[in-house]
């Protein structure tokens, strides 16, 4: 059963396939139709944030290119050209409905760095307070692999805690999640409601892609997991169907709804550590430390057998077991150089080794999230809920 009564703040992610002609160029009529529905949602009292793809496609149209270039500098140049074109189109169309919009460009660093994340949150909420619709996209003109989010499904999911959205709407070119790939299996059935994301649901996402977008159904399931684990809802709808955004909230129940009430309900800090940080290195721990961490204990130097990478105190690292599985993520209180010196030693030895002494723990339990011990992307997460939010 969809819980739509308390949905007041929504993020709408619009994929390239919902913005473009078949040739890859921006289709202003499609944008007009989507904006018209957004305007109606706002009239109904909802706050809306838009995450929009399409910058490279807009750049292709501006430069009259027949196909997308292959090199990264060319794609970044097109993104820079197209972002201005795309925002101009959005601004002109929103003005038809007496609405204002603003451009916000982000990279993963904006979620990874706590102060920058706070600044992003303040900016987004200030725009909302002004009655301006933020239009968010990844800063593709400057993005490299180290700082890229990678796809706008994930980007929009990461924004949910930033503005405390109630619902994420992914506008795609497919009706929702099917039991199998509908292009290959005519017997595949559309799921209207997903109570909880499990291995069976994840397996349904394999093999579904869009020729215009960067992500397929797998990225949408990943986004749903991020959103649901924060206790919020997500829905996938087909942007090419008539009034698909509006029909989410009526008896039609358009698309596939992912229930947020059965997620992990991570607190803000645990969700940030789990999904919105990029680890700067690895700490290898012994079996005794693994067991202690699973019982919500802090990581002490005596349980550390090795350290990989170079990182500073205050940065996030992965905690790995002897089998190479990631069992936790946390904020370190010592640098990688210092940890290499104190590993295997007791806490009372730290002062003699480093000639300074600040903490007994390398990672405090309050600054750690315990993972399921799997190496793949679909880890089942367990968290240390300290009751704190940040």
């Amino acid at each position: 059963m969809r819980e739509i009564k308390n949905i007041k703040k929504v993020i709408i992610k619009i994929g390239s396939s919902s913005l473009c002609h078949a040739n890859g160029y921006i289709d202003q009529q499609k944008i007009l139709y989507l904006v018209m529905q957004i305007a109606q949602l706002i009239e109904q009292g909802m706050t809306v944030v838009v995450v929009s793809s399409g910058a490279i496609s807009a750049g292709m149209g501006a430069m009259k290119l027949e196909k997308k270039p292959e090199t990264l500098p060319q794609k970044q140049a097109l993104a820079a050209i197209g972002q201005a074109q795309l925002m101009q189109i959005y601004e002109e169309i929103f003005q038809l409905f007496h609405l204002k919009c603003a451009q916000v460009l982000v990279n993963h660093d904006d979620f990874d760095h706590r102060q920058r994340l706070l600044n992003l949150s303040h900016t987004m909420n200030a725009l909302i307070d002004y009655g301006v619709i933020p239009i968010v996209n990844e800063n593709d003109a400057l993005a490299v692999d180290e700082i890229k989010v990678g796809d706008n499904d994930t980007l929009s999911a990461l924004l949910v805690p930033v503005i405390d959205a109630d619902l994420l709407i992914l506008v795609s070119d497919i009706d929702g999640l099917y039991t199998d790939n509908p292009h290959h299996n005519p017997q595949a059935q559309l799921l209207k409601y997903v109570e909880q994301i499990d291995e069976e649901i994840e397996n349904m996402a394999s093999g579904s892609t869009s020729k215009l977008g960067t992500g397929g159904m797998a990225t949408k399931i990943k986004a749903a997991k991020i959103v649901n684990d924060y206790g919020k809802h997500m829905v996938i709808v087909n942007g090419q169907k008539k009034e698909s955004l509006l029909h989410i909230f009526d008896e039609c129940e358009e698309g596939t709804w992912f229930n947020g009430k059965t997620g992990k309900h991570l607190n803000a800090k645990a969700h940030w550590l789990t999904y919105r940080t990029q680890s700067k290195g690895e700490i290898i721990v012994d079996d005794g430390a693994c067991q202690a961490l699973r019982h919500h204990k802090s990581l002490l130097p005596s349980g550390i057998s090795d350290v990989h990478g170079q990182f500073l105190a205050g940065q996030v690292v992965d905690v790995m077991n002897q089998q190479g599985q990631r069992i936790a993520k946390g904020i370190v209180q010592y640098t990688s150089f210092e940890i290499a010196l104190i590993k295997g030693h007791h806490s009372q030895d730290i002062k003699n080794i480093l000639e300074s002494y600040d903490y007994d723990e390398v990672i405090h339990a309050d600054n750690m999230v315990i993972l399921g011990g799997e190496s793949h992307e679909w880890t089942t997460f367990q968290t240390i809920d300290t009751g704190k939010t940040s």
Side-chain angles (χ1 to χ4, degrees), residues 106-283:
V106 299
N107 283 321
H108 200 292
D109 277 0
D110 296 307
F111 300 96
D112 190 29
H113 191 281
R114 295 287 282 173
Q115 187 58 50
R116 287 170 65 174
L117 180 60
L118 187 62
N119 293 340
L120 174 62
S121 178
H122 289 331
T123 299
M124 295 287 288
N125 284 292
L127 288 170
I128 291 170
D129 290 342
Y130 276 126
V132 175
I133 300 165
I135 299 181
V136 186
N137 195 4
E138 187 159 14
N139 192 358
D140 291 324
L142 299 178
V144 293
D145 287 342
E146 288 78 6
I147 61 172
K148 286 185 69 173
V149 176
D151 65 87
N152 277 347
D153 293 332
T154 302
L155 172 59
S156 57
L158 296 178
L159 280 173
V160 168
V162 174
I163 66 165
D164 199 27
D166 303 304
L167 173 67
L168 170 61
I169 302 172
L170 298 185
V171 182
S172 185
D173 57 357
I174 191 169
D175 292 342
L177 177 64
Y178 284 83
T179 54
D180 198 1
N181 191 327
H183 299 297
H184 301 151
N185 181 4
Q187 304 301 318
Q189 296 182 339
L190 176 67
L191 299 178
K192 284 282 191 176
Y193 185 85
V194 174
E195 178 69 23
Q196 187 172 9
I197 297 173
D198 53 21
E199 186 175 354
E200 182 181 2
I201 294 297
E202 292 164 8
N203 290 336
M204 292 177 187
S206 61
S208 176
T209 60
S210 169
K211 68 178 182 179
L212 292 175
T214 57
M217 189 57 68
T219 66
K220 291 170 175 54
I221 300 300
K222 176 184 175 184
K225 187 170 181 61
I226 294 172
V227 173
N228 289 169
D229 279 356
Y230 193 64
K232 306 298 183 177
H233 306 290
M234 193 191 89
V235 62
I236 303 170
V237 296
N238 191 335
Q240 300 176 30
K241 295 184 67 174
K242 186 177 180 180
E243 298 187 336
S244 58
L245 296 183
L246 303 177
H247 285 326
I248 292 170
F249 304 100
D250 60 24
E251 65 278 0
C252 293
E253 295 191 338
E254 196 70 56
T256 300
W257 183 280
F258 294 84
N259 179 36
K261 298 304 180 184
T262 54
K264 298 298 181 183
H265 288 247
L266 309 184
N267 63 43
K269 181 181 285 186
H271 194 275
W272 174 72
L273 281 170
T274 303
Y275 290 117
R276 291 178 279 162
T277 60
Q278 291 182 328
S279 298
K280 304 302 187 292
E282 296 179 352
I283 293 176

